[in-house]
Amino acid sequence: MRVLLVEDEVELAAIIASALQRAGVAVDLVEDCSSADAAWAAVRYDAAVIDRGLPDGDGLDLIKQRRDTGDRTPVIILTARDAVADRIAGLNAGADDYLLKPFDMGELIARVHAVLRRPRDGLGAVLRSGNIALDTLDRSVSVEGRPVQMTRRELGLLELLMRREGRVVAKAAIEESLYSQNDEVSGNSIEVAVHRLRRRLEDSGSTVGVRTVRGVGYFLS
Ligand code: CA
């Protein structure tokens, strides 16, 4: 899962970004509306977390602009303003949820997971394929109830394949979902990640596996 974080307070932004990364989310961090707009137009994000008071404008205007183009990416706004009118303005602008500063990181993570689970994808908190279950909230995988240890990246890859079960997921889409703009992605990073996940599933007795469509991508079957 990949999230756009728009926050100009450097220390707070770093804390939020690392909390999201620990929760298995790839984060692209930008500090103003114009960079956010450029990143958002280029990448299909799973969600966005947006501060209102930005150096070049109000985060709400950014959301309105994206909504006007038909973009339905789930958005959580961060706001220091406590007035009811401000919250209503946020939701009217097309935000899905809001958090008042200061907030607890655990709550932010829970809200991000909640917007990711909403009917846009029509999926609950636990994804299932064959005898595999992936809990998207506590980031755990089990095969027939037995826990399977995975790295964050393997789990992210499995989640992506499970969310699109039966459909081929292009290599480029995997790269876009698993890695943020700052990550170094070498030529065979995706192959290596797929290879590891495939071995992990085989060793755990999974009834589904990662199939390759040469030159195109991968699917779960
Ligand atoms: Ca701010």
Side-chain angles (χ1 to χ4, degrees):
M1 297 295 102
R2 185 165 173 181
V3 166
L4 176 66
L5 171 60
V6 190
E7 170 58 77
D8 61 316
E9 287 171 50
V10 178
E11 283 179 24
L12 177 61
I15 292 168
I16 296 173
S18 72
L20 286 168
Q21 282 156 1
R22 280 198 304 278
V25 174
V27 180
D28 286 344
L29 170 62
V30 294
E31 294 175 10
D32 55 45
C33 293
S34 61
S35 325
D37 206 40
W40 207 339
V43 175
R44 186 192 172 284
Y45 289 104
D46 298 292
V49 176
I50 299 174
D51 181 34
R52 279 200 62 177
L54 295 166
D56 58 350
D58 186 331
L60 287 194
D61 294 329
L62 175 66
I63 299 165
K64 280 185 206 147
Q65 282 163 22
R66 295 306 306 172
R67 292 293 186 241
D68 286 347
T69 70
D71 188 300
R72 299 301 313 156
T73 305
V75 173
I76 296 172
I77 31 178
L78 305 176
T79 175
R81 300 161 215 217
D82 195 12
V84 173
D86 279 326
R87 296 185 215 173
I88 294 169
L91 298 173
N92 281 344
D96 299 84
D97 203 353
Y98 59 86
L99 272 173
L100 297 177
K101 291 180 178 179
F103 51 85
D104 177 75
M105 285 304 144
E107 181 167 14
L108 173 65
I109 302 299
R111 300 281 184 99
V112 169
H113 282 306
V115 295
L116 290 174
R117 285 200 317 275
R118 283 190 188 163
R120 192 170 83 127
D121 291 333
L123 295 167
V126 178
L127 308 176
R128 294 179 196 280
S129 299
N131 59 357
I132 310 175
L134 188 157
D135 189 319
T136 59
L137 273 187
D138 70 6
R139 315 294 306 157
S140 65
V141 176
S142 61
V143 170
E144 275 168 22
R146 294 184 306 273
V148 179
Q149 296 304 316
M150 282 192 185
T151 65
R152 215 179 296 160
R153 197 147 277 166
E154 287 162 4
L155 199 144
L157 174 59
L158 179 61
E159 180 177 1
L160 182 64
L161 293 170
M162 287 177 83
R163 283 188 187 278
R164 303 184 190 177
E165 192 183 354
R167 282 175 285 166
V168 177
V169 183
K171 252 179 85 173
I174 294 174
E175 192 172 308
E176 186 174 298
S177 176
L178 293 190
Y179 299 90
S180 67
Q181 283 167 353
N182 299 327
D183 285 330
E184 295 267 334
V185 185
S186 68
N188 66 349
S189 299
I190 305 294
E191 279 89 347
V192 171
V194 167
H195 176 73
R196 290 198 180 134
L197 176 61
R198 185 175 280 147
R199 287 289 301 277
R200 189 86 71 176
L201 293 177
E202 284 168 5
D203 292 349
S204 67
S206 164
T207 53
V208 296
V210 184
R211 319 288 171 208
T212 303
V213 182
R214 214 162 287 285
V216 181
Y218 305 92
F219 68 103
L220 204 62
S221 167

